[in-house]
Amino acid sequence: GTTMSLMGNLNVSSGTFPNGTAITISNNRGDQDVTLTCGSVTFTQLIISHTTAGGGDNNVTISSGCTMPMGASPTSVLAGLLTNNGTITVASGIWTLSNSSGSFGSLAITNNGTITHSGSGWVIQGGYTNGASGTVTYSGTTMSLMGNLNVSSGTFPSGLTTTFDNNRGDQNSILTPGSVTFGGITINKTSSLTFGLASNTTSTGAFIFTAGIVSNPASPITLIVQGNYSQASTLTFGGSNLTLSMEGSSAATMSRTAGTISSPIIINKSGGATVSLATNFTTGSTLAVQAGTFGGATFTNTVTGLVTVSGGTYSAGSATQTFNTGLTVSGGTFTGGSGTTDINGALTLSS
């Protein structure tokens, strides 16, 4: 035969065991962890269908020296932790890791080995941690998670467009990026679930805040967005310790159709690039124009905190600009438009 199904450990590192077997881990009764120890034996496929009847965790560990092909467009079902100390390969398509537990926060991957994902998509109904010796090669451009993402160690690709969502379950998310940058970040958390940053983070593309809460960290952190910023969440983005810095050399827009922005905003565009409002805009903190151009265009802009222009240009446009703590221009340029500029505080001009 060419197939084998098991509910417990597999250790074929000694004796003689045939190569070329497809292994299915299937546990639909009770809670049982599984460790795979391969020795020199090779396998054609690993299918994980590790459900739980008792609501607990069923963990799977792939030992060092094991190479486990998952096949094309695999769906791996488990209710606990998948720890990879060996090599996992995905031939093509979308790799979906589905959480079978009633406690949706229990699924997570820890990669201490090698993952070679030659497919186009990666969906994790849980969290992912890359260990110090973990290496990921991925041919796709997108990734979605419901839990935490920690890629501060090992080797992990930059440039992925990453979504933190909750299409089932109740998981908050924390992103720990290390030196990894992202091609875009979308936050789509249900109810009052949160997304937070553990350190400075760069999105070279858009930051899309659709639903949930972007939390205020305990210590100062900067989120750099080089693409567009948009907010449709009815809840809150950030606070005094989370700075939103619009950077990069390409034009970008900012829009807010609901909710509250409580973070300081910095405009720090290079090469004279422009950040333009795409909707009427309100921020509950400060706005600092340091480089590039910030344009109100035809939309109102209400800033609760102090507006400073220390470099670049603030171009007011045709709609009302309201500064509730004042305006300081020192080294940059403020250009009034055809609309009203309402300064409810001190106006300070210095060279």
Side-chain angles (χ1 to χ4, degrees):
T2 58
T3 63
M4 182 179 184
S5 178
L6 59 123
M7 293 174 58
N9 297 331
L10 175 67
N11 187 341
V12 291
S13 59
S14 301
T16 302
F17 192 89
N19 292 320
T21 302
I23 300 294
T24 298
I25 300 173
S26 179
N27 182 10
N28 57 8
R29 51 189 297 186
D31 303 327
Q32 188 165 0
D33 297 341
V34 172
T35 298
L36 304 176
T37 307
C38 306
S40 61
V41 176
T42 60
F43 299 90
T44 57
Q45 188 176 9
L46 173 63
I47 299 170
I48 302 175
S49 183
H50 208 35
T51 59
T52 177
D57 291 349
N58 284 332
N59 304 311
V60 176
T61 300
I62 299 172
S63 297
S64 176
C66 289
T67 296
M68 288 296 176
M70 309 301 286
S73 300
T75 296
S76 303
V77 181
L78 70 159
L81 177 65
L82 172 61
T83 301
N84 175 45
N85 298 316
T87 298
I88 291 174
T89 63
V90 177
S92 61
I94 299 172
W95 184 18
T96 301
L97 290 111
S98 179
N99 196 333
S100 68
S101 173
S103 176
F104 296 117
S106 61
L107 186 149
I109 305 172
T110 296
N111 177 43
N112 300 314
T114 299
I115 296 177
T116 301
H117 187 346
S118 301
S120 57
W122 201 347
V123 178
I124 303 174
Q125 291 180 352
Y128 177 92
T129 298
N130 210 48
S133 58
T135 298
V136 173
T137 303
Y138 176 36
S139 62
T141 59
T142 63
M143 183 179 194
S144 68
L145 306 97
M146 291 171 57
N148 299 330
L149 175 61
N150 186 339
V151 290
S152 60
S153 299
T155 301
F156 192 88
S158 287
L160 299 184
T161 299
T162 305
T163 298
F164 294 86
D165 61 11
N166 280 87
N167 55 11
R168 58 183 294 195
D170 54 357
Q171 297 181 65
N172 298 318
S173 295
I174 296 175
L175 170 59
T176 308
S179 61
V180 174
T181 62
F182 298 87
I185 298 174
T186 296
I187 311 303
N188 188 27
K189 291 288 186 181
T190 57
S191 185
S192 58
L193 298 177
T194 64
F195 167 83
L197 298 177
S199 60
N200 295 339
T201 300
T202 298
S203 171
T204 59
F207 188 91
I208 302 170
F209 181 26
T210 303
I213 294 171
V214 175
S215 60
N216 185 42
S219 58
I221 287 175
T222 299
L223 170 63
I224 296 172
V225 177
Q226 297 180 357
N228 300 333
Y229 174 89
S230 63
Q231 178 171 337
S233 172
T234 59
L235 300 174
T236 302
F237 177 94
S240 60
N241 279 335
L242 178 61
T243 297
L244 171 61
S245 186
M246 302 293 292
E247 300 187 14
S249 58
S250 299
T253 62
M254 299 186 75
S255 63
R256 184 193 67 88
T257 57
T260 302
I261 299 176
S262 297
S263 289
I265 297 174
I266 294 174
I267 308 300
N268 192 24
K269 283 286 185 179
S270 58
T274 298
V275 176
S276 302
L277 295 183
T279 63
N280 293 334
F281 204 82
T282 299
T283 178
S285 186
T286 58
L287 171 63
V289 180
Q290 298 178 351
T293 299
F294 178 79
T298 59
F299 298 101
T300 63
N301 185 30
T302 301
V303 183
T304 301
L306 181 66
V307 177
T308 58
V309 184
S310 60
T313 301
Y314 188 122
S315 179
S318 61
T320 299
Q321 310 293 294
T322 303
F323 307 148
N324 285 329
T325 306
L327 169 65
T328 297
V329 181
S330 58
T333 302
F334 182 87
T335 303
S338 58
T340 299
T341 298
D342 185 6
I343 303 174
N344 299 310
L347 171 62
T348 303
L349 305 176
S350 62
S351 59

